[in-house]
Amino acid sequence: MVKNCIKTKNLINSKTTILIYNILRDLGLVPTLKGTKFLNKAIQIVINSNNDFIVLEDIYNQIASNYVGFNSVQIRNAIKYAIDTRNEQKSIINFEKIFGYKYDPYYFTNKIMIEEIARLVIYRIN
């Protein structure tokens, strides 16, 4: 479970949360969608995780335990919807500036998005 993997030092503060939102917005995601908020939370969980391998279902369950009325399937679907309905033109324009390599739609899946943005944020805050 992810809960057992959380580091004692919390790397998430308001500056980090805003950094994540700015990356998501630059990639064309709408910040007001539930899925974008859940995606931000999932990235925060991975950043604080001590585990090299992430299990999305554990992350979704952890988010669901913090939000009454949502289950892991709803959270997964909300994140997928936020990624699928992004402004693709904005994604194409800003992708290389954010990640440093050419745009590839392969990166716009729940797991890849969470992992790549978490890596990027860890790099920027360290």
Side-chain angles (χ1 to χ4, degrees):
M1 292 270 311
V2 173
K3 290 181 182 179
N4 297 335
C5 301
I6 300 296
K7 294 178 184 176
T8 54
K9 182 182 176 194
N10 187 358
L11 297 175
I12 303 300
N13 55 32
S14 59
K15 184 177 178 182
T16 305
T17 303
I18 291 170
L19 173 62
I20 296 168
Y21 268 122
N22 286 340
I23 291 169
L24 294 173
R25 186 174 33 256
D26 287 345
L27 289 172
L29 278 81
V30 179
T32 56
L33 287 177
K34 286 183 289 190
T36 305
K37 294 174 184 183
F38 291 147
L39 183 58
N40 188 322
K41 190 66 174 167
I43 293 165
Q44 292 175 32
I45 290 169
V46 170
I47 290 170
N48 281 326
S49 174
N50 200 14
N51 197 345
D52 290 336
F53 301 98
I54 66 167
V55 178
L56 284 183
E57 193 59 35
D58 292 344
I59 293 171
Y60 297 151
N61 285 330
Q62 187 172 348
I63 295 170
S65 69
N66 292 327
Y67 292 92
V68 178
F70 291 100
N71 61 39
S72 63
V73 174
Q74 290 170 317
I75 290 169
R76 180 190 67 223
N77 291 339
I79 291 172
K80 175 132 179 62
Y81 178 79
I83 292 170
D84 290 347
T85 60
R86 73 188 184 283
N87 180 336
E88 196 163 354
Q89 274 308 110
K90 198 170 182 183
S91 296
I92 293 169
I93 291 169
N94 293 324
F95 189 87
E96 191 168 354
K97 286 188 256 182
I98 293 169
F99 292 112
Y101 45 88
K102 291 199 180 262
Y103 174 83
D104 188 347
Y106 163 79
Y107 289 95
F108 290 93
T109 64
N110 291 15
K111 184 173 176 60
I112 306 282
M113 193 78 139
I114 291 168
E115 288 177 338
E116 291 296 316
I117 293 175
R119 256 188 235 118
L120 180 66
V121 171
I122 289 170
Y123 174 77
R124 286 188 182 177
I125 61 176
N126 286 332

